[in-house]
């Protein structure tokens, strides 16, 4: 069964409307991009997170993984594999994560 989607204003800038599922934090792409690129990733193990900003703009899932790394400085093996698979799908144009 499909989940409902709602249109809400961004919780940070209060300017842009964002389509979200219930219980999701409402944040527009512009504000989310500012947050995730506020800090540079220098760890060799996580160099794969340094991909094109265009790909991050297209997928909320990719932005959430990068944000999780910035918060906890660690990612699980499943998060890493899901990130790499999603990058391949977004590059091919099969973005169905939103």
């Amino acid at each position: 069964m499909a989940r409902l989607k709602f249109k809400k204003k961004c919780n940070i800038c209060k300017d842009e409307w964002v389509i979200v599922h219930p219980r999701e934090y409402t944040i527009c792409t512009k504000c989310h991009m500012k947050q995730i690129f506020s800090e540079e990733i220098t760890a060799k193990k996580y160099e794969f997170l340094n991909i094109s900003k265009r790909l991050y703009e297209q997928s909320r899932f990719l932005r959430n993984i990068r944000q999780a790394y910035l918060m906890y400085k660690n990612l699980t093996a499943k998060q890493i594999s899901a990130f790499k698979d999603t990058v391949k799908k977004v590059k091919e144009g099969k973005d169905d994560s939103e």
Side-chain angles (χ1 to χ4, degrees):
M1 185 169 157
R3 294 179 10 188
L4 294 174
K5 292 183 180 180
F6 297 96
K7 202 173 195 182
K8 294 182 183 178
K9 285 207 172 196
C10 175
N11 285 343
I12 297 174
C13 68
K14 308 277 192 242
D15 291 334
E16 295 191 35
W17 288 93
V18 182
I19 297 174
V20 293
H21 295 285
R23 299 184 185 156
E24 275 185 8
Y25 184 73
T26 308
I27 185 169
C28 66
T29 303
K30 186 174 69 174
C31 293
H32 209 182
M33 293 293 285
K34 284 181 191 175
Q35 280 184 354
I36 65 173
F37 285 103
S38 64
E39 191 177 324
E40 197 169 316
I41 297 173
T42 57
K44 295 245 185 222
K45 183 177 177 182
Y46 297 107
E47 282 292 319
F48 64 89
L49 292 172
N50 292 328
I51 58 172
S52 162
K53 286 188 179 185
R54 184 184 58 78
L55 294 175
Y56 280 115
E57 289 173 352
Q58 293 178 357
S59 176
R60 183 177 179 145
F61 177 75
L62 296 178
R63 292 192 303 264
N64 287 339
I65 295 290
R66 184 174 173 119
Q67 185 177 18
Y69 170 75
L70 293 174
M71 290 172 93
Y72 305 115
K73 300 294 183 206
N74 199 7
L75 292 175
T76 65
K78 287 184 180 181
Q79 285 175 318
I80 293 170
S81 65
F83 183 90
K84 290 178 180 178
D85 291 341
T86 305
V87 168
K88 288 179 189 172
K89 288 179 185 176
V90 171
K91 282 184 180 178
E92 292 172 2
K94 297 179 185 176
D95 183 29
D96 57 359
S97 63
E98 295 199 35

